[in-house]
Structures are given as C-alpha cells and as structure tokens.
C-alpha cells in the first residue's frame, strides 16, 4: 500500500497485513509475489491473501486459521522498530487536536525520534501540507525514515528530515512567519522557543510534549517570559480500558496512565500585548540553580539506548522499509517473514 491509496478493499500486493492466529498471537507481513509467512503452526502463502477482503479468515498449511486485517496506524507505531521512545497514540491524538493540525498545514516537528508522531502528522496534513522534522541524531533519523517508508510504501515527498539542531537549522528551512504549527518533542524545548517564534505565523500554535513536571514548569515560564505568546495551557491524557463481557463490566486492571504533558500557546501578532498582561507572573524566573540542576537530562529521566541496540533497530527498520519497496517492485527481496 502506498500513501496515495485508500487502506481498504481487497488485499493487494504491497499491502501490510496483520494476522491474528492461534492463542491470539499476532504477526504482520507485507504481501509480495511468492511470499510466505512461516510460523510454528505451518506456512501461509501470501497468494492466499491477495484478493481477499479486509477482515477475512484464512488457513495455513497446518489448518490453523488466521484473521487478516490491515493494521491500523496505532498498531503499526506500537510494534515498529524504535531508536527513541515513541509518542503513544493517546498523546498523538491529543497533539493533533490541541495543535489543530489541518490538511495543507506547514508543520515543524522536533525531534523526530522513531517516526511515530511524524506518521500521524503526515496523515493529518495530507498531500498538500508540508512537514519539516528535525533530529539531532542521524541514527534516530534513519530509523524514523525507514519506519515511515515501511508504513506508507514510499518516502513522502512533502516530508523533509533535517539532521541537526533546530535552533541552528530552522532559519534555513523555513521563512519568517511561514509555519502554521510547531510540535516540540524534546528534552529541553525552551531552548527552541525563540527560534520557533520567528517562523510561526501570527495565531500559529506551538505545542511541547514533555515527560516531567519540572520540564513542564520551565517551558511554561519561558513561554510567558518571551511576551510573544498567549498564556500557555497544559494537560495530560490518561486512557483506561474496560472489560465488557455480559454483566462482567469493570475497568481493566491495567491502564495507560501518565506518559507525558502537553503544553500549548499561540503566537501573538508583532507588538501585540494581551489584555491580561498585568495578571501574569513576573518575568523574573521563579527558579534557581538547584531547579536548573533538576532539569538536566539524567534528572528528568532521559532514556538511554546502547549503540549496539540502536544499530540493531536501524537494521530492523531498514529491512522493513526494503520489504515495503520490494512489495511495490522497487527493491530487492527482503527475505522470508517470520512470526512476530
């Protein structure tokens, strides 16, 4: 499946298919000519899936039945190879809503991480929009590009990935007042606020995704201190599933609780002063050296990954991307699929 095709209708060569087999175990494969899915329960030929409608049940060589569905974007991002931690679907949905991402928007994103949020943003802006993603680490950028290509079937022409620091590279990537929305998913987003203010159009939205309350506090104070934005608004999202079977209706024992905070503000017009400026906190920062120390990467829980693990994730992501290209007839055979 390419990004231009509707993810519906009978299965085609190039489609990614999620197969749920015995005991609920899932496998995901990209359909290709002569392809096969090998599991402990037998072999399922890709040809047996081609032409079947979405939601079909097919049997493998061992007689075991599999439910075949196209994976939703949320399924893909939760199972794709990761270099950096991903933005969870519950937060991605809120980012799209609170930042008001719309078709045709020009959006700046930093950092790109493993590409999960990039996929949501690309879907929201559509083919007429433009996404500029910044990532300081080239290895993370490679994982992200491979993941996006795996899901869309090709490298999106309206997506630019810039390897480097946003503060230094943004002026060359976007003209002043030309960007509609900015999403910052990084350890210290306050370092980028001044650069972001220059490229945001009046009324544009900046949204920061941060993990800890100390990060939330500092970015809010910095946004206020610039005098260039509306009063920042902060929130978090929690999702609790429910078990529903007959009269046995109860909350799930486990839930996806805190993953991060979202804080948003809108760019003021040049020279504009909001009416409630006198109610704002003083511009003198309400924190000291001890607080700054608490905002260091180690203190706020910066996730570390070893170079060996990251190299493995890069290879895995690039293998999946090669499979997607091969399924469309654009690259070499990526090999035999195995059960996840």
């Amino acid at each position: 499946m390419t990004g231009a095709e509707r993810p519906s209708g009978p299965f085609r060569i190039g489609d990614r298919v999620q197969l749920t087999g015995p005991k609920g175990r899932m496998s995901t494969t990209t359909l290709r000519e002569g392809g096969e899915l090998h599991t402990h329960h037998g072999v399922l030929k890709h040809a047996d899936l081609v032409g079947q409608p979405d939601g079909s049940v097919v049997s493998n060589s061992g007689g075991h039945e599999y439910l075949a569905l196209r994976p939703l974007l949320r399924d893909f991002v939760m199972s794709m190879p990761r270099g950096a931690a991903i933005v969870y679907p519950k937060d991605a949905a809120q980012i799209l809503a609170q930042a008001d991402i719309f078709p045709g928007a020009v959006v700046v994103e930093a950092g790109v991480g493993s590409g999960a949020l990039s996929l949501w943003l690309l879907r929201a802006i559509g083919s007429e929009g433009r996404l500029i993603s910044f990532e300081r680490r080239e290895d993370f950028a490679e994982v992200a590009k491979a993941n996006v290509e795996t899901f869309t079937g090709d490298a999106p022409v309206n997506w630019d990935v810039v390897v480097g620091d946003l503060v230094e590279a943004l002026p060359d990537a976007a003209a002043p007042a030309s960007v509609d929305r900015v999403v910052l998913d990084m350890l210290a987003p306050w370092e980028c606020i001044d650069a972001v203010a220059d490229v945001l159009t009046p009324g544009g939205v900046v949204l920061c995704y941060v993990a800890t309350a100390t990060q939330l506090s500092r970015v809010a104070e910095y946004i206020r201190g610039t005098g260039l934005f509306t009063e920042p608004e902060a929130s978090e999202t929690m999702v609790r599933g429910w078990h529903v079977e007959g009269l046995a209706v109860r909350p799930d024992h486990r839930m996806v609780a805190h993953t991060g905070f979202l804080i948003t503000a809108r760019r003021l017009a040049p020279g504009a002063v909001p009416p409630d400026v006198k109610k704002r906190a003083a511009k003198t920062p309400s924190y000291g050296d001890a607080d700054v120390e608490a905002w260091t990467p180690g203190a706020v829980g910066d996730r570390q990954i070893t170079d060996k693990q990251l190299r493995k994730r890069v290879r895995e992501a690039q293998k999946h991307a090669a499979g997607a290209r091969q399924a469309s007839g654009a690259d070499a055979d990526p090999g035999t699929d195995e059960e996840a």
Side-chain angles (χ1 to χ4, degrees):
M1 178 187 72
T2 67
E5 294 173 336
R6 290 176 56 86
S8 60
F11 292 125
R12 310 177 284 269
I13 293 297
D15 280 348
R16 288 183 62 79
V17 181
Q18 180 176 278
L19 299 161
T20 304
K23 300 182 179 179
R25 188 168 185 177
M26 291 185 181
S27 304
T28 303
T29 185
T30 300
L31 299 183
R32 62 181 187 274
E33 296 287 353
E36 296 178 338
L37 175 72
H38 290 248
T39 73
H40 296 101
H41 303 285
V43 178
L44 179 63
K45 296 182 181 297
H46 289 189
D48 294 338
L49 289 165
V50 175
Q52 296 292 329
D54 208 343
S56 295
V57 175
V58 294
S59 299
N60 69 359
S61 61
H64 295 275
E65 293 185 333
Y66 286 80
L67 171 63
L69 290 164
R70 287 186 176 86
L72 303 176
L73 180 51
R74 69 178 186 183
D75 300 324
F76 178 78
V77 299
M78 293 301 293
S79 62
M80 69 187 191
R82 304 180 188 179
I86 67 167
V87 173
Y88 278 76
K90 73 180 184 70
D91 293 320
Q94 285 295 310
I95 288 171
L96 297 183
Q98 293 190 30
D100 190 43
I101 309 298
F102 59 90
V106 177
V107 180
V108 166
E109 170 200 20
V112 69
S114 298
L117 183 57
S118 302
L119 280 164
W120 292 105
L121 292 172
L122 286 166
R123 172 175 282 184
I125 65 176
S127 59
E128 299 301 316
R130 181 188 178 201
L131 176 62
I132 311 171
S133 300
F134 292 84
E135 174 55 57
R136 289 177 175 175
R137 296 187 55 167
E138 186 172 1
D139 41 15
F140 283 2
E142 290 299 319
V143 172
K145 288 189 287 187
N147 282 333
V148 170
E149 188 171 341
T150 298
F151 187 80
T152 63
D154 200 359
V157 296
N158 60 337
W159 185 39
D160 298 316
V161 180
V162 180
V163 178
D165 186 271
L166 178 141
V167 174
E168 298 175 356
L170 184 56
D172 293 329
S178 66
V179 174
D180 299 302
R181 307 289 185 258
V182 175
V183 179
L184 302 177
D185 173 17
M186 53 180 23
L187 193 63
W190 51 87
E191 296 176 351
C192 301
I193 295 299
D194 292 328
V196 163
D198 290 338
V199 301
L200 263 179
T201 186
V205 179
V206 59
L207 181 147
C208 302
Y209 178 62
V210 294
T212 71
T214 49
Q215 291 171 296
L216 179 66
S217 171
R218 184 166 186 182
V219 71
E221 292 299 326
Y222 196 96
I223 289 173
R224 288 192 183 103
T226 65
L228 301 174
F229 294 88
T230 59
E231 179 67 10
E233 299 179 2
S235 66
E236 66 174 331
T237 305
M238 298 185 184
V239 174
R240 181 174 69 174
W242 279 70
H243 171 87
V244 182
E245 187 173 347
L247 296 179
V249 180
R250 56 168 175 76
D252 285 342
H253 296 306
R254 299 180 63 186
M255 68 177 288
V256 181
H258 176 76
T259 48
F261 297 103
L262 301 182
I263 180 168
T264 60
R266 299 189 69 180
R267 181 68 164 95
L268 296 173
V273 178
D276 62 341
V277 66
K278 294 182 179 180
K279 299 179 182 179
R280 291 187 176 183
K283 289 188 177 181
T284 302
S286 56
Y287 49 84
D289 293 341
D291 299 301
V292 174
E293 179 63 26
W295 288 324
T296 58
V300 298
D302 187 23
R303 179 177 179 269
Q304 300 296 325
I305 183 172
T306 66
D307 290 340
K308 181 178 180 181
Q309 290 174 322
L310 186 54
R311 287 195 296 270
K312 180 180 178 181
R313 305 285 174 81
V314 172
R315 291 195 300 270
E316 185 179 356
Q318 290 177 337
K319 176 184 176 183
H320 292 325
R325 291 194 301 269
Q326 190 276 339
S328 301
D331 209 333
D333 186 354
T336 301
D337 294 297
E338 298 292 341
E339 186 173 34

